[in-house]
Amino acid sequence: MALSGTVVTLPIYVANTSATSGTATIAPGESISQESPLKPFHRSRNGTFWTSSAIRDTRSLGYTYPETADDSASCAIQAVNYLYGPSAGRPVNKTLSSGNFSKRDGPQQPGFYYEWITNIRVAQNALNSTFTVHVFLGNFNSNPKFWLVDPNQVGSHTVFMPFSSSAEQNAGLIVAGTVPLTKYLNHNATTGHYNTATNTGVERYLRNNLHWRVAKLADSTEVSRESMPSLKVSVVSCPVTEAKSEYDFPNWGDCTTHTNITDWMPAGLKFGEPV
């Protein structure tokens, strides 16, 4: 309990910065902080708006979540592991229709596996319109209108056109996204366990089966990857030691970039290029 007259200052969790690109209510370059108004969400009838510092606890709005109700970090970690961890028990709905990848291709260590991830980076205004980068494992429909529902589409990254009316203000802004691959590589694995094969086996499979394409969001028109010099796609693998209990997070080691998977395709990261 704080002594009488003592001011208790909560740690800042929204750093002061300048907006790199505009929104409907924030101009490019405008200074923003945890006290900036979160328009258009009004806090009262007299026109004041909520701020990040005022809304850091959802109980300010009269509700909370079971996973965070007791302010316990271990309770929140347990919920994350239950919902999204290896034991989540979520079945993979998509199956891979090509390749002979085997999850048993190489020795495995109990409690240890490799997480495989596709990294995407591109200029936000690369097309001056909103677009999507689709990632596939195996053959896929040649018609871009069906890419979003293609059974071998394992993920996508959509880049939204900035609100700013001045393209020059956003010319240098690079945005990034990721598409996880592990659960699709392990689509036949026993529920509750990742069992990724050795790097060599996975590299060979991904080099032959990993593909990416770009389409405009408005009309699903395909865009040539060669016409987007800022687009760069790479693949990394990260060694992961599984959590010892449901109240711990897994421990991630240093990731390795596999340029031999992507160096032969348009917009693929090549050896020596910055990650």
Side-chain angles (χ1 to χ4, degrees), residues 30-67:
E30 181 178 336
S31 297
I32 51 178
S33 70
Q34 63 179 0
E35 300 301 334
S36 298
L38 299 176
K39 299 178 180 179
F41 302 105
H42 286 93
R43 186 176 184 179
S44 65
R45 294 181 180 275
N46 62 11
T48 59
F49 294 95
W50 286 102
T51 65
S52 296
S53 61
I55 203 65
R56 62 187 303 159
D57 190 333
T58 58
R59 280 171 286 201
S60 300
L61 295 177
Y63 73 94
T64 186
Y65 297 94
E67 298 83 0

Side-chain angles (χ1 to χ4, degrees), residues 34 116 118 184 201:
Q34 63 179 0
W116 289 82
T118 302
Y184 298 102

Side-chain angles (χ1 to χ4, degrees), residues 60-154:
S60 300
L61 295 177
Y63 73 94
T64 186
Y65 297 94
E67 298 83 0
T68 59
D70 63 355
D71 290 330
S72 168
S74 61
C75 181
I77 292 173
Q78 181 189 35
V80 170
N81 284 330
Y82 175 77
L83 293 171
Y84 308 109
S87 60
R90 293 171 177 261
V92 177
N93 295 323
K94 300 179 180 180
T95 57
L96 308 181
S97 62
S98 65
N100 295 313
F101 175 78
S102 171
K103 64 185 178 63
R104 299 181 180 86
D105 184 16
Q108 301 295 309
Q109 301 179 40
F112 177 86
Y113 69 98
Y114 281 95
E115 191 75 42
W116 289 82
I117 302 169
T118 302
N119 288 324
I120 302 167
R121 57 182 169 87
V122 64
Q124 187 179 26
N125 65 342
L127 298 180
N128 289 322
S129 64
T130 299
F131 60 93
T132 300
V133 180
H134 298 268
V135 179
F136 305 91
L137 278 179
N139 298 325
F140 57 94
N141 197 309
S142 60
N143 188 338
K145 294 184 182 296
F146 298 101
W147 286 351
L148 193 61
V149 295
D150 192 285
N152 281 348
Q153 195 252 46
V154 295

Side-chain angles (χ1 to χ4, degrees), residues 101-108 195-202 204:
F101 175 78
S102 171
K103 64 185 178 63
R104 299 181 180 86
D105 184 16
Q108 301 295 309
N195 196 16
T196 307
T198 61
N199 284 358
T200 302
V202 180
R204 182 171 60 251

Side-chain angles (χ1 to χ4, degrees), residues 48 54 73 116 168 183 210 245 264:
T48 59
W116 289 82
E168 290 78 11
K183 74 173 183 178
L210 181 68
S245 77
W264 65 282

